[in-house]
Amino acid sequence: MGLGLPSLFLLPLLLGVLFWIAEAAHPCDVITGGYSNWIGSAINKDVVIVGGGISGLSAMKKLLEEQVTNAVILEAQDYLGGRVKTYRQGSILVEDGAEWIHGGSRNPLYQLANSLGMLTQPLADSAYDWRVKTSTGTQASEAGYNVAEQVFFECEKGSVIQNYYNTAIGQCYKDKFGSFYNNGKTLAGEKSAWLHYLNMFVLRDVGLNDWMKESGRDFDQFTSFGGEDKLNQWSQGYDALTNNLKSSIPQDKIKLSTPVCKIFWESDPNGKALVVTSTKEAYLTDYVLVTASIGHLQERHLQLFDPPLPASYQNNLNRLELGLADKIHLGWSSPWWKALNPKPLDMQVIFKVFDLPTEESWLYGVMEVMGVHQQLNLLQAFVNGDYAQKMENLSDDDVKRHILKFLRRVTGQTVPEPTFFRRSQWGKNVWVRGSYSSYITVSGDQAGLKSRNPLSVPITNSYGNKVIHWAGEHTNGTRYGTVDGALGSGTRAAVRIINDM
């Protein structure tokens, strides 16, 4: 039976109500009432750590080393590690989040993994089945790839990027690409395709949503350890780091599936903070260390903090953006791309034509399909920014169907149905709302945020107590967007708390 006129009139109202209900269904919306409703049942703690990611775990480890034992980690999700999330299925191992140890031996994680006998050395370029293809399956110019790679590293030079402090790093890539491409032995018909490829290359490697958004000044503050292209890995999965940190923390100091919903930081007459969780537990504490992602903080800080954070801090929070990078993983019983003497596939893809159906347009964000963790039968593709958002809004079946159609078109080969499929959806995760790298926007820089230092400064209440401390990759001014940066920020925050006690 069709809809009558009254039903049609009410349909927008009904959809609006349903939308409101969906938006209201945040796990923390069950928590109501003020300080006085919760103080009576509060458990006393010296330190409450909000978040059991790498920064939260490293902070707890440091506190315990300094004999600060009356502390607890409250983690919203049902696992530790945050954006370090390893998934296993039988012999298959994939990383939903962090995957590589960047920077070689100068990275402290390299040293730790090596000392534990868990460091995987990268394969030589010759070990890969390396291809450069167009989206329609024809051979693309390798010279175009060389230009994109040269431009990428050119805009990492301090002497170059300093000229872009007052604009976006994307402008550097655009400018240098034009001069490099025109001077090289490259195909004129592929120029726009390789510029798009470079754009996607940057979004993936730097962790941006839009290369015209990150401030050149912010980009230049990142400290490279050198050898950033040396892609070492944890041989048994990145969660080996999580497990290593967790091993020194007593189990009773970690509470999983315990989202923090309210932090009252001005209400206690003794100048302490009261932390309330969705499980209706309350903790009265001298120090709250907040390690949540900046994506979550931007979305929920007005509901989380009572009273609201100082206006200056709120403004600085909104002068950053958290990038979105998702992965798609596919596995087969054997490598279909080559029957004899197969190698891990590493295929670069450019789009000379943008002719995909609208629902498949997220594939324009795929610029490389490559092997996973040196497992011969697995492939992965990154999808970034707006393209990742489009992908997240599709069903698993649609994403799998689209990527298989794409692979068949690009390779011209028979690609069987995979025996393994997985994709991440970091944007839909209410506790993260993004992936591995935050960045100060051009508008944020112009509004006065010239570095990330203000984001790591503790908040002092009217009683003169530094009750709120900060950690997480976005608070690390020189190694943001990295796991070692998150690790260091947690240790730094713990030292500040210890020194203030």
Side-chain angles (χ1 to χ4, degrees):
M1 182 176 180
L3 288 171
L5 286 177
S7 298
L8 285 171
F9 177 79
L10 291 172
L11 183 58
L13 179 60
L14 176 61
L15 291 175
V17 171
L18 291 174
F19 176 78
W20 179 86
I21 291 172
E23 286 293 294
H26 189 280
C28 280
D29 289 340
V30 299
I31 297 303
T32 58
Y35 169 88
S36 59
N37 298 92
W38 298 99
I39 187 62
S41 61
I43 301 167
N44 286 289
K45 293 290 180 183
D46 292 332
V47 184
V48 170
I49 299 174
V50 181
I54 298 304
S55 56
L57 291 169
S58 66
M60 178 63 88
K61 182 175 184 291
K62 183 64 176 177
L63 290 172
L64 293 174
E65 287 173 353
E66 299 299 324
Q67 308 307 311
V68 179
T69 58
N70 189 25
V72 65
I73 292 175
L74 304 177
E75 167 55 47
Q77 303 186 90
D78 61 0
Y79 71 97
L80 294 171
R83 285 166 276 175
V84 170
K85 188 177 183 182
T86 305
Y87 179 82
R88 296 174 179 81
Q89 182 176 304
S91 61
I92 292 173
L93 184 157
V94 295
E95 307 285 2
D96 285 0
E99 185 162 348
W100 293 287
I101 302 173
H102 295 277
S105 59
R106 290 181 61 193
N107 190 323
L109 298 183
Y110 179 103
Q111 304 293 348
L112 177 60
N114 193 38
S115 69
L116 296 173
M118 296 183 182
L119 186 70
T120 297
Q121 297 294 341
L123 298 175
D125 290 346
S126 59
Y128 289 93
D129 181 347
W130 198 76
R131 306 179 188 183
V132 186
K133 304 293 291 288
T134 71
S135 61
T136 57
T138 60
Q139 182 68 30
S141 167
E142 292 189 16
Y145 171 83
N146 293 334
V147 168
E149 188 176 49
Q150 289 168 8
V151 171
F152 181 82
F153 290 115
E154 179 73 8
C155 286
E156 288 191 340
K157 296 177 181 177
S159 59
V160 173
I161 198 62
Q162 287 175 11
N163 298 316
Y164 295 88
Y165 270 21
N166 297 318
T167 186
I169 61 163
Q171 193 60 52
C172 179
Y173 295 117
K174 287 182 176 181
D175 291 348
K176 299 303 178 184
F177 178 83
S179 60
F180 276 56
Y181 196 94
N182 291 334
N183 293 334
K185 296 179 180 179
T186 47
L187 298 178
E190 292 184 356
K191 185 175 181 179
S192 61
W194 280 111
L195 180 60
H196 174 78
Y197 172 92
L198 174 61
N199 191 343
M200 297 304 104
F201 190 112
V202 170
L203 297 194
R204 183 197 68 182
D205 276 53
V206 183
L208 307 178
N209 292 329
D210 182 339
W211 68 358
M212 296 305 293
K213 282 191 173 181
E214 183 179 10
S215 153
R217 188 190 325 273
D218 182 54
F219 183 83
D220 194 35
Q221 291 180 30
F222 183 85
T223 297
S224 171
F225 290 148
E228 293 288 335
D229 57 334
K230 299 285 191 290
L231 302 181
N232 300 98
Q233 293 179 299
W234 290 85
S235 60
Q236 298 176 32
Y238 221 124
D239 61 356
L241 171 61
T242 306
N243 293 333
N244 179 264
L245 292 170
K246 185 177 68 173
S247 66
S248 62
I249 302 171
Q251 190 172 350
D252 64 355
K253 298 191 181 303
I254 299 173
K255 294 182 72 69
L256 298 178
S257 303
T258 309
V260 169
C261 298
K262 280 289 185 183
I263 300 174
F264 299 96
W265 59 282
E266 282 280 20
S267 303
D268 185 71
N270 295 310
K272 297 189 176 188
L274 183 67
V275 177
V276 182
T277 73
S278 70
T279 55
K280 300 186 177 180
E281 297 169 314
Y283 297 86
L284 187 64
T285 182
D286 296 307
Y287 303 97
V288 182
L289 172 53
V290 180
T291 73
S293 82
I294 193 166
H296 172 64
L297 289 175
Q298 287 174 333
E299 182 177 74
R300 296 290 299 183
H301 69 87
L302 289 176
Q303 295 90 348
L304 179 60
F305 295 96
D306 188 341
L309 294 169
S312 60
Y313 198 91
Q314 290 187 50
N315 290 337
N316 285 331
L317 274 180
N318 292 320
R319 289 167 182 161
L320 274 77
E321 188 168 298
L322 181 59
L324 176 59
D326 284 316
K327 299 178 186 178
I328 299 169
H329 292 116
L330 298 158
W332 293 267
S333 57
S334 61
W336 51 264
W337 50 93
K338 191 171 184 180
L340 299 176
N341 302 317
K343 298 179 178 180
L345 182 64
D346 189 356
M347 183 169 65
Q348 316 302 309
V349 183
I350 63 171
F351 289 87
K352 293 178 67 174
V353 293
F354 289 80
D355 59 349
L356 296 175
T358 301
E359 69 167 3
E360 298 175 22
S361 61
W362 64 270
L363 288 162
Y364 296 138
V366 176
M367 42 68 62
E368 182 178 32
V369 179
M370 57 184 174
V372 183
H373 252 297
Q374 300 185 13
Q375 296 166 97
L376 188 57
N377 298 345
L378 291 177
L379 295 178
Q380 77 174 355
F382 276 83
V383 191
N384 289 78
D386 291 341
Y387 295 114
Q389 197 65 62
K390 290 179 181 179
M391 184 273 291
E392 289 196 8
N393 290 329
L394 299 171
S395 69
D396 281 357
D397 287 342
D398 282 341
V399 172
K400 182 167 67 172
R401 177 169 53 84
H402 294 171
I403 193 70
L404 287 174
K405 179 181 175 182
F406 176 76
L407 287 173
R408 289 161 184 157
R409 187 186 191 199
V410 173
T411 64
Q413 294 181 248
T414 299
V415 181
E417 286 291 315
T419 55
F420 176 82
F421 172 83
R422 184 172 176 82
R423 52 90 177 252
S424 61
Q425 291 178 288
W426 289 108
K428 284 194 171 184
N429 186 321
V430 298
W431 307 115
V432 185
R433 294 303 194 200
S435 53
Y436 50 86
S437 189
S438 61
Y439 49 94
I440 299 176
T441 62
V442 174
S443 60
D445 178 273
Q446 293 172 349
L449 187 62
K450 306 301 183 184
S451 77
R452 293 153 188 268
N453 292 337
L455 294 168
S456 67
V457 176
I459 304 295
T460 302
N461 63 16
S462 59
Y463 299 91
N465 298 333
K466 296 177 181 177
V467 289
I468 302 175
H469 289 250
W470 308 96
E473 63 82 19
H474 65 282
T475 70
N476 192 311
T478 60
R479 289 292 293 176
Y480 52 86
T482 67
V483 179
D484 61 275
L487 184 89
S489 74
T491 302
R492 177 201 61 205
V495 169
R496 286 179 175 174
I497 290 171
I498 292 164
N499 290 340
D500 194 63
M501 286 181 160

